[in-house]
Amino acid sequence: MAAAARRTGEPTPELRAELGAIGRSTEWTVRRAACGTRAHHGAIWVLGLLVAASALELGAAPGELGAVVKRLAAHRDRGAPLRPSPGSAVSVRYGAAGARGEARAGLPHVRRALDALRIARDTGADESCARLDALLTVMTTLQDTRVLYEAGPHGLRRVQSGARAVLDAGGTATRTGREALAAFDADLRAHALSPVGGVPLLAGALYAEQAGTAAPGTAAAGGRSAARVRGRR
């Protein structure tokens, strides 16, 4: 996807079509390797667009990649299957943005995750807690189409309020927050809810951070240049 973006040089309809073809091929390959599971589906969409965006805009700050993704996603994927997916059907039924709407808006929940990561780290949370808090932050407002498909609006409200309760309790770096997280996890299991929609968006935020520090001449973690970091691997 990065090679296609570098070759094209602009977020054109032709690049959008090529990215779609690569994505579908990747989904088919990974589904075979993973014995049919579709857990990778959302990650290929989010990360694929971000990989292409970072190749088009080398050195862009993490929060700037969404603008390039927005331009890419504005084009119709001419090779996409005409049959509706469960996610698109749910989007139509409930008016949810879905994966396409999220991309066409410039991945706002990736930006939310980036902000949450920064805030958690600045307040002393370790990396694991920072990432959990970022995921929960995304879950508080994301219209997760899988949850809507399996449990409807009531299930989605349950997920959003449960995630918010953990953050309101102080986040996962605090004792009260961890207790709230355990209660939230138990409630999700009891009602067979799988709010996985936020996971690719958190992955996208983590990728965007690394893409921003990996460009030649930009500062990497600890003040070292990315070139030096690459040279030591």
Side-chain angles (χ1 to χ4, degrees):
M1 290 181 174
R6 287 194 296 267
R7 185 173 60 252
T8 306
E10 294 288 340
T12 61
E14 291 74 23
L15 175 58
R16 175 69 187 89
E18 187 169 2
L19 293 175
I22 295 170
R24 285 186 291 277
S25 175
T26 305
E27 288 171 12
W28 182 83
T29 303
V30 178
R31 193 180 307 130
R32 288 189 64 196
C35 301
T37 180
R38 295 177 63 85
H40 59 278
H41 183 76
I44 293 172
W45 171 252
V46 174
L47 292 174
L49 289 171
L50 285 169
V51 163
S54 62
L56 289 171
E57 296 290 340
L58 289 175
E64 295 173 349
L65 292 177
V68 187
V69 168
K70 184 176 182 178
R71 292 170 64 192
L72 269 171
H75 301 302
R76 185 175 65 87
D77 182 0
R78 297 185 297 243
L82 296 178
R83 62 182 182 279
S85 67
S88 63
V90 165
S91 295
V92 171
R93 181 175 182 181
Y94 296 112
R100 288 186 178 86
E102 178 78 14
R104 287 170 181 163
L107 299 177
H109 282 91
V110 168
R111 294 196 298 272
R112 291 205 70 195
L114 286 166
D115 290 341
L117 286 166
R118 176 181 52 79
I119 292 169
R121 291 164 180 159
D122 288 348
T123 55
D126 64 28
E127 188 61 16
S128 178
C129 290
R131 293 180 181 190
L132 277 171
D133 284 357
L135 177 61
L136 290 163
T137 299
V138 169
M139 290 166 65
T140 61
T141 53
L142 181 68
Q143 294 175 309
D144 192 321
T145 53
R146 173 164 174 174
V147 175
L148 281 170
Y149 181 75
E150 294 178 345
H154 178 73
L156 180 61
R157 286 192 294 271
R158 192 176 203 97
V159 168
Q160 292 175 337
S161 62
R164 191 173 297 110
V166 179
L167 297 173
D168 289 346
T172 58
T174 68
R175 180 181 60 80
T176 54
R178 288 191 294 272
E179 291 172 351
L181 179 64
F184 180 37
D185 179 63
D187 187 64
L188 292 176
R189 293 174 185 273
H191 291 87
L193 294 171
S194 300
V196 298
V199 176
L201 297 165
L202 172 61
L206 296 172
Y207 170 79
E209 287 185 325
Q210 293 302 311
T213 61
T218 58
R224 296 167 293 167
S225 73
R228 290 179 187 172
V229 172
R230 287 196 297 272
R232 293 176 60 183
R233 287 176 183 168

